[in-house]
Amino acid sequence: MKRLENKYGANVNFMLEEKNTSICMEALFADETEEYRSPGQAKAGEWVKYRFRILKDNVDKVLLVENGNCHALSLKESQGIFDYYEIKLCLGEDRVRYYFCLKKGEEICYFNKAGASFELKEEYSFQMIPDFFTPDWAKGAVIYQIFVDRFYNGDKSNDVENGEYAYIGEQVSKVEDWNKYPAFMGIREFYGGDLQGVWDKLDYLQYLGVEVIYFNPIFVSPSNHKYDIQDYDYIDPHYGKIVKDEGQLLEAGDLNNQNAGRYISRVTNMENLKASNAFFADFVKEVHKRGMKVILDGVFNHCGSFNKWMDRERIYEGQKDYEAGAYVAKDSPYRTFFQFNDENSWPYNPNYNGWWGHDTLPKLNYSDSPKLKEYILSIAKKWVSEPYCVDGWRLDVAADLGNSEEENHQFWKDFRKAVKGANPDALILAEHYGDASRWLQGDEWDSVMNYDAFMEPITWFLTGMEKHSDSYIPHLEGNSASLIQTVNFFERNLAKPSIDVAMNEISNHDHSRFLTRTNHVSGRVQDLGWEAANQGVSLAVLRQAVVMQMTWTGAPTLYYGDEAGLCGFTDPDNRRSYPWGKENHELIDFHKEMIRIHKQYKPLKGGSFLFLWNDYRKLAYARFTKEEAIIVCINTEKEEAYCQLPVWRAGVEKDAVLSAKRIMLTDSKGYNVGILSNPVEEGMMKVTIPKEGALVFSVSRRKNGNKEK
């Protein structure tokens, strides 16, 4: 049996010559896009068409093996050098796992999500999950993540004031210098960013091409990160509207929040809370009017010690609009919302379970409280319904919720029913590291923040850095084989509906800024200092990452300020304020152009994905549909690289006069969006990739299509 030496670089003429002696592995293709599985998402009982591509007249038999059952496909049509085989099968009620088997004489090979192989690896099988639908608007949508306190201060009247209240042993402070670096323990310092500030910058977001705004938490909370929710029912007036501002600030040295009259008035007075909710409803209407969406951060595993259900700070105690918190009184209606470990410590019982032992983050106790679950599900429905109508939830530490795996899964099943029942087009994304397939069976989450199959492999490949900047591993930098293997390994756990809407970030509020990772400096801000995050960074490498982000399968997600050149080690340094007036405008315009390309070219939102060629420090892949292919080339070397790309594998027909259009070039000097022609001869494209560069080409798949003259 003859095997081919170069998996990604073979010439089409060589393939045609060899087609009678062995299976042409490079020609084999199928995936889970509409061209090869239609419909891509289906209901139980619906007929599904499966399609497979081979080199013309190259195999004796094409089989589809699903859940142990073997089905023979029939030749449907021939186009150019390819034959296409098809079969229609009725989708049952259970998940289908399937792969293809090709036979030629005594030779047998297999095709699955990892591509063609002579060895069967069933764990890489394609998946079809009945009744699993994710929102069409979210597939490939460009998302912009905003950490509100650091984005823009649009309303100075709602700023947190110095000494307004105390949090974790110190009084809070107002930052007067917008460009100040965040303090090492900066959770109690506030820059003044708010929802009015986001409203003021909607024109900017539209200029970029943003389609979805994802907010870090915006509900009433005492910290600037707001993952310690105080009141799930209301938008924090410090982000919304303060219409009644009464009470005193704390005296110097006073840490007793019962004396924090100003804070108590701002966050418990119903006039402020209702005004903030009404303002948010108007904000979402404005966003929707502009054709954009809004996703909120849902923190349902734990709340905060300030929460009205717990009231450890005793700011709700005795107020007419609020019942006693569980910390305050044993007979509190919220007693079962938390797990207390000492039944004899009331009033003011500090012996409760905190998430990871943090008493500022009480763990919510769903096991003993159907009322708590009912309340949280009502919150989930409330914000996706009128008058707010937000478009989805991002779920914080979603796998940690509950006290058992069974309880966790049941909660998220009920959560999905509640949210989708109120807004069928709402998106449910979860924060998760590792295999999330147990939650992605169509009845819990829609998808995840794509750490394993995007952020981490892209970061290792382009920088050799761990995503927190905690370590530098030189042999992973430029290791394209490792990238391909890692992406294939982790994507095997994701069904297509989840892949299409996966949140593809290179930076966020929990990890170092990508631009800082390009300097290969390992460590944290408290050890290295702020300036170390800015030194020796590479805009060229960042541009390569953005090219990959905007041409990858899924929803590219920008972290505010990355496009303007923000640096920063992991939190809190990754939460620097947006540098208004000090932006890198060339970098902003580059992001704008890559977003335009992502939105303009159909293969980049719904096309197939195929690795075409790789070498050490170099990579090329294609996104393609019936009509068009996008070819992406990456070179991490500090010298230019030459390659021949088998674009015929992306369906580009064997045509001597065909040419590709270069639509983006970025290298160590900058970027260029001028359109240039690049010949495609006999299905191959010769390319010179500049040092630290990336190229993006568009090429018609059909010889009668539009061609650059």
Side-chain angles (χ1 to χ4, degrees):
M1 179 173 65
K2 186 171 182 178
R3 299 191 185 186
L4 300 169
E5 297 293 329
N6 185 347
K7 182 176 181 182
Y8 292 121
N11 184 285
V12 66
N13 288 330
F14 173 76
M15 293 299 178
L16 289 168
E17 292 168 3
E18 296 295 311
K19 70 181 182 180
N20 292 320
T21 59
S22 68
I23 296 175
C24 177
M25 307 280 275
E26 281 75 5
L28 305 181
F29 190 76
D31 64 6
E32 298 168 308
T33 63
E34 290 283 341
E35 186 168 349
Y36 291 93
R37 189 176 75 193
S38 179
Q41 303 172 110
K43 298 178 181 179
E46 192 170 354
W47 286 89
V48 179
K49 180 176 70 176
Y50 300 88
R51 185 173 167 93
F52 193 83
R53 188 191 79 183
I54 67 168
L55 191 66
K56 192 173 182 180
D57 301 327
N58 183 238
V59 302
D60 300 329
K61 189 174 290 187
V62 179
L63 303 172
L64 183 149
V65 183
E66 51 93 15
N67 294 354
N69 300 309
C70 193
H71 307 275
L73 281 69
S74 301
L75 177 62
K76 178 67 176 178
E77 62 179 332
S78 297
Q79 293 181 2
I81 63 172
F82 297 118
D83 285 339
Y84 292 87
Y85 282 71
E86 290 184 4
I87 190 172
K88 285 188 176 181
L89 298 173
C90 185
L91 185 63
E93 295 183 355
D94 298 324
R95 178 181 66 162
V96 173
R97 293 181 63 84
Y98 66 96
Y99 59 89
F100 296 92
C101 177
L102 294 305
K103 296 184 178 182
K104 182 178 179 66
E106 296 183 359
E107 188 177 58
I108 297 175
C109 77
Y110 305 94
F111 192 93
N112 53 28
K113 292 183 76 167
S117 174
F118 290 106
E119 179 184 357
L120 175 59
K121 295 182 179 179
E122 291 194 61
E123 65 271 25
Y124 287 90
S125 294
F126 297 108
Q127 296 184 60
M128 184 69 166
I129 300 177
D131 303 307
F132 187 8
F133 297 89
T134 52
D136 286 339
W137 65 261
K139 295 171 182 174
V142 179
I143 304 174
Y144 191 88
Q145 178 184 350
I146 297 179
F147 192 90
V148 178
D149 183 60
R150 308 296 160 81
F151 186 63
Y152 187 67
N153 189 343
D155 181 359
K156 296 187 182 301
S157 70
N158 61 15
D159 291 359
V160 172
E161 300 184 50
N162 290 318
E164 187 176 320
Y165 57 101
Y167 188 57
I168 312 183
E170 291 184 20
Q171 292 184 4
V172 297
S173 63
K174 176 181 178 179
V175 175
E176 299 292 346
D177 178 7
W178 179 259
N179 296 306
K180 184 187 86 69
Y181 291 131
F184 300 153
M185 181 59 178
I187 58 173
R188 63 178 76 83
E189 63 175 8
F190 295 84
Y191 285 63
D194 48 36
L195 291 173
Q196 182 62 59
V198 180
W199 195 326
D200 291 347
K201 296 299 182 180
L202 288 179
D203 286 348
Y204 167 70
L205 298 181
Q206 283 193 289
Y207 170 82
L208 276 179
V210 169
E211 296 172 294
V212 184
I213 299 171
Y214 154 47
F215 286 117
N216 288 110
I218 59 175
F219 302 119
V220 180
S221 309
S223 68
N224 53 40
H225 60 68
K226 299 200 177 298
Y227 284 96
D228 46 357
I229 306 297
Q230 182 173 329
D231 192 336
Y232 291 93
D233 283 295
Y234 297 101
I235 303 299
D236 196 316
H238 296 96
Y239 284 178
K241 291 293 179 183
I242 297 175
V243 295
K244 193 166 186 178
D245 210 10
E246 301 176 333
Q248 73 284 359
L249 303 175
L250 291 174
E251 297 288 340
D254 187 0
L255 302 180
N256 184 355
N257 283 320
Q258 289 181 286
N259 299 326
R262 184 75 53 85
Y263 182 72
I264 293 172
S265 171
R266 286 181 163 191
V267 300
T268 71
N269 186 290
M270 284 296 165
E271 291 185 46
N272 293 328
L273 297 173
K274 291 179 179 179
S276 295
N277 280 11
F279 176 78
F280 179 68
D282 290 341
F283 170 84
V284 176
K285 287 179 183 177
E286 177 63 22
V287 171
H288 285 167
K289 187 170 70 174
R290 292 170 178 252
M292 295 187 286
K293 307 283 188 181
V294 175
I295 295 174
L296 295 183
D297 212 319
V299 189
F300 303 128
N301 165 69
H302 57 272
C303 62
S305 56
F306 278 60
N307 192 283
K308 63 185 179 183
W309 302 334
M310 175 64 77
D311 197 21
R312 180 161 180 156
E313 300 300 311
R314 300 172 62 186
I315 63 176
Y316 295 97
E317 187 177 7
Q319 291 203 48
K320 64 178 182 178
D321 292 323
Y322 300 92
E323 297 182 273
Y327 169 82
V328 174
K330 187 173 185 178
D331 62 354
S332 165
Y334 312 118
R335 161 70 183 83
T336 59
F337 286 23
F338 310 95
Q339 190 170 50
F340 287 87
N341 303 312
D342 186 344
E343 295 294 318
N344 301 308
S345 294
W346 277 284
Y348 315 125
N349 189 343
N351 302 297
Y352 54 84
N353 286 353
W355 184 58
W356 283 67
H358 296 291
D359 63 2
T360 55
L361 302 174
K363 172 87 171 173
L364 291 172
N365 180 33
Y366 294 93
S367 301
D368 302 319
S369 185
K371 181 181 177 182
L372 168 63
K373 182 175 180 179
E374 181 182 351
Y375 201 128
I376 291 295
L377 293 182
S378 73
I379 292 296
K381 290 186 289 187
K382 171 179 178 174
W383 294 102
V384 299
S385 304
E386 292 283 356
Y388 311 107
C389 300
V390 300
D391 303 286
W393 288 100
R394 176 268 187 187
L395 307 172
D396 186 60
V397 294
D400 288 6
L401 182 140
N403 294 315
S404 70
E405 184 173 340
E406 180 182 5
E407 180 179 72
N408 180 280
H409 285 291
Q410 187 58 55
F411 178 88
W412 293 123
K413 290 178 196 293
D414 294 337
F415 182 91
R416 184 180 185 88
K417 290 176 183 176
V419 171
K420 300 284 187 174
N423 182 351
D425 222 19
L427 179 67
I428 301 174
L429 291 169
E431 175 191 26
H432 188 79
Y433 299 85
D435 182 5
S437 59
R438 290 168 294 169
W439 290 270
L440 298 174
Q441 297 303 309
D443 56 355
E444 297 183 52
W445 310 336
D446 284 325
S447 193
V448 291
M449 303 174 77
N450 200 6
Y451 292 124
D452 298 309
F454 184 76
M455 180 190 278
E456 291 203 44
I458 297 298
T459 293
W460 288 121
F461 172 62
L462 292 178
T463 71
M465 295 292 292
E466 189 272 337
K467 61 183 178 295
H468 286 284
S469 288
D470 281 342
S471 60
Y472 172 52
I473 303 179
H475 77 266
L476 288 179
E477 184 179 7
N479 193 331
S480 57
S482 177
L483 171 100
I484 293 168
Q485 182 180 22
T486 303
V487 169
N488 286 340
F489 180 81
F490 284 106
E491 280 201 353
R492 68 182 180 156
N493 298 319
L494 300 176
K496 190 62 165 61
S498 296
I499 293 174
D500 286 340
V501 300
M503 185 179 278
N504 290 343
E505 298 180 290
I506 58 174
S507 307
N508 66 20
H509 63 291
D510 283 328
H511 306 94
S512 59
R513 295 268 180 177
F514 186 89
L515 186 54
T516 287
R517 278 176 242 153
T518 67
N519 68 8
H520 299 156
V521 175
S522 301
R524 302 286 176 114
V525 65
Q526 56 266 40
D527 301 316
L528 301 171
W530 298 284
E531 286 301 326
N534 307 330
Q535 295 168 354
V537 299
S538 171
L539 291 173
V541 177
L542 173 60
R543 287 193 295 269
Q544 288 178 315
V546 175
V547 167
M548 297 183 77
Q549 183 182 40
M550 293 297 164
T551 56
W552 213 257
T553 305
T557 304
L558 302 179
Y559 184 42
Y560 80 99
D562 265 14
E563 79 278 12
L566 268 190
C567 295
F569 290 112
T570 199
D571 53 295
D573 196 35
N574 53 18
R575 301 166 185 179
R576 297 182 181 186
S577 55
Y578 187 101
W580 299 110
K582 300 182 178 181
E583 309 96 319
N584 182 326
H585 289 284
E586 182 179 3
L587 190 59
I588 290 173
D589 287 342
F590 169 75
H591 279 79
K592 177 179 181 292
E593 292 295 341
M594 279 310 308
I595 290 172
R596 175 189 60 79
I597 288 171
H598 173 81
K599 294 164 67 174
Q600 178 178 337
Y601 291 90
K602 292 182 180 179
L604 297 180
K605 281 214 170 186
S608 297
F609 184 102
L610 178 65
F611 289 112
L612 285 178
W613 171 85
N614 75 299
D615 197 355
Y616 186 61
R617 288 191 168 272
K618 296 171 276 290
L619 177 72
Y621 56 90
R623 299 290 309 280
F624 56 96
T625 62
K626 288 181 179 180
E627 303 301 329
E628 185 177 22
I630 299 296
I631 311 299
V632 182
C633 309
I634 306 291
N635 175 23
T636 68
E637 294 274 22
K638 294 190 181 299
E639 57 185 35
E640 67 180 22
Y642 171 79
C643 61
Q644 294 190 69
L645 303 180
V647 295
W648 64 270
R649 297 185 63 224
V652 177
E653 290 206 1
K654 182 172 171 285
D655 187 325
V657 299
L658 192 64
S659 66
K661 296 185 296 182
R662 192 202 74 190
I663 56 178
M664 172 60 75
L665 175 150
T666 172
D667 58 17
S668 57
K669 299 176 183 178
Y671 75 96
N672 191 309
V673 292
I675 295 177
L676 295 178
S677 296
N678 199 97
V680 177
E681 299 180 0
E682 299 297 315
M684 301 294 289
M685 186 167 75
K686 298 177 181 179
V687 176
T688 300
I689 318 173
K691 63 180 182 180
E692 295 183 304
L695 299 171
V696 183
F697 296 93
S698 168
V699 55
S700 170
R701 285 187 54 181
R702 302 286 174 255
K703 60 185 177 182
N704 294 325
N706 294 328
K707 297 182 287 292
E708 188 78 5
K709 301 296 184 183

